[in-house]
Amino acid sequence: DFNERLVRAISNYNTQIVVYVSTLRNSKLQDIEVFEEQNIITYKAYFPHSKYDLLNFIRLIKLYLKIFKIVFEKYGLPILVHNYVFFPSGIISIYLKHRYKLKTVLTEHWSIFNYKNNINHIYTHSLYKRKLYSLILKSFDTVISVSKSLEESYVTFSVIIN
């Protein structure tokens, strides 16, 4: 809801293109859906969920790249890329930042950094994943947090992991 409200507010000033890629159990690989409403253009694509994380990751990356190719050919390069979660879409942001020299912004919502009362907090993940998360976080030009406690958690994480 927060993301939608933000996009709607900004769309009063500039056209917004939203890209959404996700896994969906029992789905078949399907075409990309495009929805246009006022100054908001939304691209959605789903791929079938696999029990193999690597396969899910490859499908996700391929669909993101396919959609961005379509978007860039049709509308040109954007001013910036704004993510609402850093992983795994942050990997695409790193690619877009280096390939097209785009600015990247992250508005972080994920409570994985907040280890208080969270059984899936960041420190339960493997060292490899924590290093990857840190690399992705540092790659953004601007990071905005939805709360002060979340900001303190990911800042602490970034300092500790390095």
Side-chain angles (χ1 to χ4, degrees), residues 27 52 67 100 102 153:
S27 72
Y52 303 107
I67 292 173
Y100 298 104
L102 297 176
S153 296

Side-chain angles (χ1 to χ4, degrees), residues 12 22 48-49 56 69 79 84 105-106 113 124 138 141 144:
N12 291 324
S22 182
H49 182 78
N56 289 328
K69 182 177 182 197
I79 297 169
Y84 296 100
V105 176
L106 169 67
F113 296 105
T124 64
K138 287 181 176 180
D141 295 303
I144 303 165

